[in-house]
Amino acid sequence: MKRILVIDDAATVRLYHRSILEELGFEVSEAVNGLEALERVAEGDFDLYLVDINMPKLDGYGFLRELRGKDMPQAPAIMVSTEAGANDQKLAFLSGANLYIVKPVRPERLASHVLTLLGMTSNGRGAPS
Amino acid sequence: MTQARMISDEDFRKFREFFYRKTGMLFEDSKRYFVDKRLLERMDATDSESFRAYFTMVRFQASGEELQTLINAMTVNETYFFREEYQFRCLVDSMLEEIVTHTRQQRALRIWSVPSSSGEEPYGIAIYLLEHWPRLDDWDIEIVSSDIDTEILNQARRGRYTHRSIQNLPPSLLAKYFRRDGDHYLIDQELREAVDFTRVNVSDAADMRRHRHFDIIFCRNLLIYFDDLSRKQTAESFYDALNPGGFICLGHSESMSRISSLFRVRKFPEAIVYQKPWEAR
Amino acid sequence: MALKKPAPTAPSSDDERRLARDLPGLLSALAAADPLARRWAARDLAAHPNASRALVDRLRIETEPSVSQVILTTLTRLGDEIAVAGLTECLRSEDAMLRNAAIEAMKQLPDEVAPVMEQLLKDDDPDVRIFAVDVLESLRHPRVEEWLIRVIAEDPHVNVCATAVDLLGEVGSERAVPTLHALKARFVDEPYIQFAADLALKRIAQG
Ligand SMILES: C[S@@+](CC[C@H](N)C(=O)[O-])C[C@H]1O[C@@H](n2cnc3c(N)ncnc32)[C@H](O)[C@@H]1O
């Protein structure tokens, strides 16, 4: 089963993302900030990261920069932002994000992005393994 | 007969704030009974008329003696030998190896056990190094052991332990490093002499400044008694007590990722620890 | 080579404390070239009630993150009006690390932040309003619920409301119920708002 790490300091947002992703058959882990996410990464591998930008201790950019600097197999990351600002978007890609989406997140959009990034079909056939 | 002494809600709040400012320890409302009991005992012992009189003495006594006695009474000193032993394994197999590889000049490596409580932790580290770190033939290691509680430090210096403390030690090590003393176990003179004991309040900048150039800090089961701000402040002081590349080990229920972003998470086969970056300035 | 007794660590003397904590000395150390000296100065300034202005000024130009962190800790300790104003200013910083650290610091200062909160919640920049709601998260203050209710009733920006609903799920009471329903009606096409508001309503119903 593919594993996804959801990183956000808001409990409700983590729950929301979890419910969408579990519906699709993924295994979901959570972290409340970038540092805790790095601890999770140290404990085990993930197939995809869903990363909030503004978080205490270590924000989403900082997390991705640390992650991308690690000598390990790299999984895709989706940056989730509250702002559509061009500057944020640029920073997100420079930090190592593969995709940038703006809150509020719609379940069907998130699902199709995740499935695409993981190289799975997003047309409802072929359940994720 | 003295009149019944009492501690009002207001007294409790005032005391809690004062004690927190001094030590970083924050008592929740649920600890009210624990705190009141000890305050009343000390008020009795010092013949104080009222909480107010006692509190004034604690704050303004020039020698600070009563404050220290009160601190000694308020601390939770629970500890034992080889608590969370996997971190000691990590010390010899991973952390020290990395430091030694990065260290060009021959120098003593320094380890700080803070808080050390009655000494089981620093002595345990010493025993572990003697038993499991072959490079001890090539390198000097210094161990400093500190606590805010002066009474428990004296106990640590004596090195005399109950059965409860040594339960986790393999019998061979007990036989090798301890001597029976009635119901107690007395640790080797040599080990006692190898450790330096100091009184440290981690919330006091001046105390912290005197403790520098460490390669590894064990700070286990202290921050659980602190609030977020004191935790952050303590972590920041540790940052300056460490050499670049130095490590911090926390207790198993404590995580730096909720405290401070100054350190890097390091995953070793034995444990997750936190590191001051090698390039840190 | 072996276990070696360290040279004894001398206890700190009162003299040293006084010397190290003398205000003019610390203020000049705050501008020292060595970041270690700056961190020590920032740390020791916690003992000086009048140090906030100098710390805020330094924070604006400080480039070493470890020093900024210590300055923020000390400002939180001092927690006076100048410190709070300095922290508030950081909410507008381009530096995400600094912004988030300032939010964290402000969360620890409920009484001090309360007077500026109304203003922040009315700020023109939705990002600043989101940060202000973030600050409310662990602010133990009697008016938190009232502020949150007003945000979800009036704020036009969906993400500001989204952040506020998250919190209402934790601190909300019966009082918030009608406004939560109104919010659901206002953002009927936003699945996240529906999800978060339903969750808040459920939690409130469970007491
Ligand atoms: C539970 S013991 C931990 C002992 C050992 N590190 C372990 O993990 O087993 C906690 C110790 O923290 C000490 N302590 C509490 N506040 C302190 C402070 N501000 N500075 C230094 N030590 C403190 C207490 O005196 C007590 O001995």
Side-chain angles (χ1 to χ4, degrees), chain A residues 37-82:
Chain A
L38 289 170
E39 280 195 39
R40 289 291 104 76
V41 172
E43 287 158 3
D45 295 338
F46 292 95
D47 299 289
L48 187 131
Y49 305 94
L50 201 56
V51 193
D52 182 30
I53 292 189
N54 285 309
M55 294 179 290
K57 305 302 175 202
L58 186 65
D59 59 37
Y61 306 125
F63 164 72
L64 280 179
R65 278 194 296 269
E66 280 278 324
L67 182 77
R68 296 311 188 207
K70 281 184 191 297
D71 181 19
M72 60 180 269
Q74 294 287 343
I78 302 178
M79 196 77 140
V80 189
S81 164
T82 50

Side-chain angles (χ1 to χ4, degrees), chain B residues 141 193 210 232-233 240, chain C residues 4-5 10 39 73 77:
Chain B
I141 292 223
E193 282 170 3
R210 308 197 62 84
K232 180 164 183 270
Q233 191 175 20
D240 285 331
Chain C
K4 184 182 134 213
K5 178 131 187 154
R39 285 195 296 273
T73 303
R77 276 271 178 247

Side-chain angles (χ1 to χ4, degrees), chain C residues 125-201:
Chain C
D125 182 349
D127 266 336
V128 169
R129 300 203 299 278
I130 290 178
F131 298 146
V133 175
D134 268 338
V135 169
L136 287 177
E137 181 193 324
S138 22
L139 214 57
R140 278 186 217 110
H141 193 274
R143 296 190 59 194
V144 166
E145 184 181 11
E146 180 194 324
W147 284 324
L148 289 173
I149 290 176
R150 199 174 329 147
V151 169
I152 64 165
E154 293 170 7
D155 201 296
H157 199 293
V158 58
N159 283 328
V160 182
C161 292
T163 314
V165 190
D166 289 349
L167 283 194
L168 268 177
E170 281 157 41
V171 304
S173 68
E174 285 293 332
R175 280 204 308 169
V177 170
T179 329
L180 281 166
H181 284 296
L183 179 76
K184 286 189 61 171
R186 186 151 70 99
F187 291 107
V188 86
D189 288 333
E190 289 295 354
Y192 180 77
I193 295 280
Q194 302 300 320
F195 176 89
D198 285 339
L199 190 69
L201 286 165

Side-chain angles (χ1 to χ4, degrees), chain B residues 23-25 75-80 83 114-117 121 146-149 152 200-203 220-222 225-226:
Chain B
T23 68
M25 277 183 263
T75 51
V76 178
N77 306 115
E78 159 78 15
T79 184
Y80 48 88
R83 184 178 198 176
V114 56
S116 64
S117 188
E121 187 175 284
S146 311
D147 202 284
I148 196 175
D149 180 338
I152 210 72
V200 165
N201 176 358
V202 299
S203 300
R220 311 192 301 176
N221 306 301
L222 167 67
Y225 302 103
F226 286 13

